[in-house]
């Protein structure tokens, strides 16, 4: 089956630093990837849609200058949280769209803790 | 616009009892519907999906769901709960065309009591 990986699986950083999270489709090409954010005991909220070779589309209320998304290849999308603050602490999950049927395959998530 | 409502943020059942997790959707176009399971600190795993065709969909781990257009529902069931079924379950909807993201319900936490 289609496999999506994320790296790192967890990261702790100091306030003000930047953190890069990678999302890779391991055995398929994904022209579209999605980035979601999940707060404790809550649902997944879409942050942005990442399209290979073009600018990401951000959801309302998501700061594009703070959450930089780069989809440079058909198998890799990155999310960079710039100048992270404690309120950015969350579980970040990516998904990649594969083939027909609009099925998304999810990565295992990255837990970000900003001190 | 599309939306999903999951009735009951927490459901508790006894081991061996029927599991019923409710999901109602709203969509102005024919929907694709999904159920995902999430274990603590992990990503989402697809349980089953409805796209077209048969309205009763069977998934992994003995789960199934029935798409009822007249009721705009897609409830998830399992005849006999196992302890390993304890997890968070998310219902999601998307359009049946284009590269569109999923819209998730708020989730239902399933507890299984021995």
């Amino acid at each position: 089956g289609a496999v999506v990986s994320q790296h790192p699986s967890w990261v702790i950083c100091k306030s003000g630093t930047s953190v890069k999270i990678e999302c890779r489709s391991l055995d398929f090409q994904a022209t579209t990837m999605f980035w979601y954010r999940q707060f404790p005991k809550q649902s997944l909220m879409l942050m942005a849609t990442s399209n290979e070779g073009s600018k990401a589309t951000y959801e309302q209320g998501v700061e594009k200058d703070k959450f930089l998304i780069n989809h440079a290849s058909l198998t890799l999308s990155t999310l960079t949280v710039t100048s992270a603050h404690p309120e950015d602490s969350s579980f970040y999950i990516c998904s990649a769209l594969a083939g027909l049927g609009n099925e998304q395959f999810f990565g295992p998530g990255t837990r970000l803790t900003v001190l | 616009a599309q939306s999903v409502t999951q009735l009951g943020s927490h459901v508790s059942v006894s081991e061996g009892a029927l599991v019923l997790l409710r999901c109602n959707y709203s969509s102005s176009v024919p929907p694709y519907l999904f159920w995902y399971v999430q274990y603590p600190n992990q990503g989402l795993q697809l349980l089953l999906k409805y796209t077209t065709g048969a309205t009763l969909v069977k998934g992994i781990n003995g789960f199934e769901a029935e798409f009822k257009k007249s009721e705009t529902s897609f409830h998830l069931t399992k005849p006999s709960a196992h302890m390993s079924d304890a997890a968070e379950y998310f219902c999601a909807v998307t359009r049946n065309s284009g590269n569109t993201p999923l819209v998730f319900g708020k989730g239902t936490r399933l507890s299984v009591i021995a």
Side-chain angles (χ1 to χ4, degrees), chain A residues 37-89:
Chain A
R37 182 174 183 177
Q38 185 180 30
F39 290 105
K41 300 187 186 303
Q42 294 188 29
S43 188
L44 282 74
M45 299 300 295
L46 179 68
M47 297 176 66
T49 300
S50 171
N51 294 299
E52 187 267 337
S54 65
K55 292 184 178 181
T57 303
Y58 291 83
E59 294 300 297
Q60 190 173 7
V62 178
E63 300 176 58
K64 62 180 182 180
D65 294 332
K66 181 170 185 60
F67 297 100
L68 300 179
I69 292 173
N70 187 312
H71 195 156
S73 78
L74 288 172
T75 59
L76 173 64
S77 175
T78 60
L79 168 67
T80 302
V81 184
T82 62
S83 187
H85 288 96
E87 57 266 31
D88 299 324
S89 298

Side-chain angles (χ1 to χ4, degrees), chain B residues 50-71:
Chain B
Y50 168 79
T51 54
T52 58
T55 57
L56 181 62
V57 181
K58 294 185 183 298
I60 62 171
N61 301 339
F63 285 94
E64 63 181 39
E66 186 171 10
F67 170 62
K68 292 187 176 180
K69 185 177 179 180
S70 62
E71 299 178 7

